[in-house]
């Protein structure tokens, strides 16, 4: 996690810096917005910017957008400065951190930006086999494709491979291809020269050059536009990249690891992914099994998360009752490790006895996770049979386009405007979702923005 702090390093901002370093962040300081932009252009990069609320945040965000630099911004300032906090959010800051800093709040924001858990715990033979293969190929220079459902720990395994490789002492740079808009991704990867487009006021080093000597992780590569895939293929084959607007190739020395939660073979057949690029990336495939197929990992991870969140919340650590363990193993865990972590955090807070009992293992809406897989399947089938006719009747007389529109907007509303999550639920690519939403916006419909509901958007 690379953190760029912008502002004067005195008082509470210095304390925030120390906390971030203690939480594992690599921190770089810039005393002004101009210095921060020079740092980002120069190839040092950042996964998150933390800026003093007293500085012109709107100017920073406008400059980032103009130069096609994709990095989230959070503001920080005194807890009593509510007006400045509101202005920062309106200017485009993702969060506001009150000062003096709270260690766990900063840790939570760093974790949210990373969007992953670094806890690498393996007990089940199915996962141990994958890790053994990863260890075997880590020392090579081969490109690796890590596949598996969302939340299984693909980035964690990618970092493990990097740590076991000869490049461990160099940079590990991660790019989420699904989270970065298409028109920004090319500049994010390859950089650009001064004057390459409106707003390109200076040369900017991209992620390929940032990662030189180390490892570049292309997360959710299936979401990358086909046209950009051609440029990526050349970079992998020739070990050179072309900055946007550049006149000569730039050599790079990196190891590529890519991840996908989709079947790339099907994407090739659908024409959304290049077959030659798949061959280049898939020299070694590390396929992570879903958590429901790793029962030994379920218990080990649950115990780990129980200890972790007991410490974080100042609660005496407790064991997990045998009945609760059986409950956890019986669950399907569609959200995999990420869902299990949230469940155990909730359980730590809800448990009242000497152990974490089955009554504390609850779903986000407060419901019990006390049914076996078989009983849940039967219940779901029964409910589906009872409601199928009613649903069908409700759709009669409506066009397919109308039904599709309402489904997309309702799902986006459910995800509070998070397009990546909505696309995963809908089973479509983020690019397809963006195109649909652009159509709806052009037609005069209000589309929720990140953090909004349809009611708020309206």
């Amino acid at each position: 996690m690379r953190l760029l702090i912008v502002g004067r390093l005195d008082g509470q901002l210095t304390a925030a810096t120390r906390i971030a370093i203690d939480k594992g962040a690599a921190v770089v300081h810039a005393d002004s917005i101009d210095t921060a932009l020079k740092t980002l252009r120069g190839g040092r990069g950042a996964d998150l910017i933390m800026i003093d609320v007293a500085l012109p945040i709107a100017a920073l965000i406008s400059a980032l957008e103009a130069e096609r630099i994709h990095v989230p911004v959070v503001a920080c300032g005194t807890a009593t400065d509510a007006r400045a906090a509101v202005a920062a959010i309106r200017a485009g800051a993702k969060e506001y951190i009150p000062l003096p800093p709270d260690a766990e709040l900063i840790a939570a924001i760093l974790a949210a930006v990373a969007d992953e858990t670094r806890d690498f715990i393996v007990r089940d033979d199915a996962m141990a086999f994958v890790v053994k293969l990863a260890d075997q190929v880590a020392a090579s220079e081969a490109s690796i494709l890590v596949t598996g459902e969302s939340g299984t720990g693909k980035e964690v395994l990618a970092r493990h491979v990097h740590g076991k490789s000869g490049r461990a002492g160099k940079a590990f740079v991660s790019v989420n291809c699904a989270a970065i808009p298409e028109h920004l991704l090319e500049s994010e990867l390859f950089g650009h020269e001064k004057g390459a487009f409106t707003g390109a006021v200076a040369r900017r080093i991209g992620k390929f050059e940032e990662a030189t000597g180390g490892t570049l992780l292309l997360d959710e590569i299936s979401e990358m536009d086909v046209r950009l895939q051609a440029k990526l293929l050349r970079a992998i084959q020739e070990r050179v990249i072309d900055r946007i607007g550049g006149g000569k190739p730039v050599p790079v020395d990196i190891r590529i690891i890519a991840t996908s939660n989709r079947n790339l073979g099907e994407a090739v057949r659908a024409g959304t992914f290049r077959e030659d690029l798949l061959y280049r990336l898939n020299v070694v495939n590390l396929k992570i099994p879903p958590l429901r197929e790793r029962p030994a990992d379920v218990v080990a991870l649950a115990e780990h998360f129980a200890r972790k969140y007991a410490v974080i919340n100042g609660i005496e650590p407790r064991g997990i009752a045998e009945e609760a363990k059986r409950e956890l193993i019986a669950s399907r865990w569609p959200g995999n490790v990420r869902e299990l972590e949230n469940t155990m955090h909730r359980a730590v807070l809800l448990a009242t006895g000497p152990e974490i009992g089955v009554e504390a293992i609850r779903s986000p809406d407060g419901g019990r996770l006390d049914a076996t897989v078989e009983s849940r399947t039967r219940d779901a089938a029964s409910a589906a049979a009872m409601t199928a006719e009613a649903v069908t009747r409700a759709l009669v007389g409506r066009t397919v386009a109308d039904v599709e529109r309402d489904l997309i907007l309702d799902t986006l509303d459910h995800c509070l405007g998070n397009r990546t999550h909505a696309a995963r639920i809908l089973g479509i690519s983020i690019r397809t979702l963006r195109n649909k939403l652009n159509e709806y916006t052009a037609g005069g419909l209000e589309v929720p923005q990140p953090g909004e509901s349809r009611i708020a958007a309206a």
Side-chain angles (χ1 to χ4, degrees):
M1 176 68 184
R2 299 168 302 165
L3 175 63
L4 173 59
I5 294 184
V6 186
R8 294 179 59 191
L9 272 183
D10 54 3
Q12 302 297 345
L13 195 56
T14 303
T17 302
R18 286 197 294 267
I19 291 171
I21 292 173
D22 289 343
K23 298 300 179 181
V27 179
V28 175
H29 172 243
D31 58 3
S32 67
I33 289 177
D34 286 342
T35 304
L37 291 171
K38 289 178 182 177
T39 298
L40 294 171
R41 296 182 195 120
R44 299 187 70 176
D47 300 304
L48 176 68
I49 294 175
M50 184 184 297
I51 182 171
D52 188 334
V53 75
L55 294 177
I57 295 174
L60 170 64
I61 292 176
S62 294
L64 293 175
E65 292 175 348
E67 297 191 45
R68 301 184 185 177
I69 300 174
H70 183 83
V71 56
V73 176
V74 298
C76 55
T78 59
T80 57
D81 198 354
R83 182 174 297 179
V86 171
I89 297 298
R90 287 178 175 171
K94 301 298 183 184
E95 298 285 351
Y96 178 81
I97 301 176
L99 299 176
D102 177 83
E104 296 311 324
L105 175 59
I106 290 178
I109 290 175
L110 295 178
V113 171
D115 193 28
E116 54 138 341
T117 175
R118 300 289 176 85
D119 305 308
F120 195 54
I121 295 173
V122 179
R123 297 291 184 275
D124 198 277
D125 289 344
M127 188 63 187
F129 174 80
V130 178
V131 174
K132 182 179 179 181
L133 178 59
D135 290 343
Q136 185 176 340
V137 301
S140 73
E141 290 295 302
S143 297
I144 294 176
L145 179 63
V146 184
T147 57
E149 297 177 3
S150 295
T152 50
K154 295 188 291 295
E155 182 164 350
V156 177
L157 183 60
R159 289 181 181 275
H160 175 78
V161 170
H162 172 71
K164 292 284 187 176
S165 73
R167 298 172 176 267
K170 301 294 184 178
F172 179 93
V173 178
S174 175
V175 181
N176 189 327
C177 301
I180 302 177
E182 293 173 27
H183 67 286
L184 300 182
L185 186 55
E186 183 175 4
S187 181
E188 190 75 8
L189 290 174
F190 303 113
H192 58 252
E193 296 287 352
K194 180 179 180 180
F197 50 81
T198 302
V201 298
R203 170 185 289 176
R204 187 253 172 125
I205 300 301
K207 300 300 186 186
F208 265 82
E209 290 180 84
E210 282 183 31
T212 290
T215 301
L216 177 63
L217 173 65
L218 300 175
D219 197 18
E220 302 303 348
I221 195 170
S222 58
E223 305 302 328
M224 183 181 290
D225 184 79
V226 174
R227 291 168 295 181
L228 189 53
Q229 291 174 25
K231 193 168 184 178
L232 173 62
L233 178 63
R234 177 177 181 267
I236 296 173
Q237 288 177 329
E238 307 296 333
R239 291 185 175 270
V240 296
I241 57 106
D242 295 309
R243 300 192 194 106
I244 299 175
K248 63 178 183 178
V250 178
V252 291
D253 172 26
I254 60 172
R255 202 255 189 93
I256 294 284
I257 302 178
T259 76
S260 177
N261 61 3
R262 298 183 182 275
N263 186 320
L264 290 182
E266 292 181 358
V268 168
R269 289 188 288 274
T272 60
F273 201 84
R274 293 179 62 107
E275 186 174 26
D276 46 5
L277 177 58
L278 176 57
Y279 290 146
R280 282 288 176 179
L281 294 173
N282 198 21
V283 176
V284 178
N285 182 205
L286 301 177
K287 185 175 182 179
I288 302 180
L291 188 58
R292 59 185 172 273
E293 296 178 8
R294 297 150 47 189
D297 282 355
V298 171
V299 174
L301 285 165
E303 291 174 336
H304 166 76
F305 292 137
R307 290 190 298 271
K308 172 182 175 179
Y309 287 107
V311 172
I312 286 176
N313 291 284
I315 299 172
E316 186 69 24
R318 286 171 285 193
I320 303 174
E322 290 302 318
E323 185 182 1
K325 290 179 181 179
R326 290 192 293 271
E327 175 98 350
L328 293 170
I329 292 173
S331 175
R332 294 290 293 169
W333 300 116
N336 291 291
V337 178
R338 193 174 295 123
E339 182 185 0
L340 174 62
E341 180 173 8
N342 292 337
T343 299
M344 293 312 300
H345 191 174
R346 213 165 25 247
V348 166
L349 300 176
L350 295 176
T352 56
E355 291 185 310
I356 297 175
V358 69
E359 72 283 349
I361 309 297
R362 295 179 179 271
S363 61
D365 61 3
R368 287 276 301 277
L369 297 179
D370 56 356
T372 64
V373 173
E374 292 77 9
S375 65
R376 278 198 295 270
T377 302
R378 288 195 302 270
D379 290 345
S382 177
M386 292 173 64
T387 59
E389 183 177 356
V391 171
T392 302
R393 288 183 180 278
L395 296 177
V396 171
R398 304 188 65 201
T399 66
V400 171
D402 286 344
V403 173
E404 179 187 63
R405 179 197 62 220
D406 288 349
L407 176 61
I408 288 175
L409 292 178
D410 286 347
T411 303
L412 190 64
D413 178 62
H414 171 76
C415 297
L416 293 179
N418 189 311
R419 301 186 178 191
T420 301
H421 291 174
R424 287 174 178 169
I425 291 172
L426 292 164
I428 61 178
S429 70
I430 190 69
R431 183 169 59 253
T432 299
L433 178 60
R434 288 197 194 105
N435 291 338
K436 291 290 183 182
L437 295 178
N438 288 337
E439 290 178 12
Y440 303 152
T441 301
L445 291 176
E446 292 287 346
V447 173
Q449 297 303 309
E452 289 185 344
S453 67
R454 294 177 69 182
I455 295 175

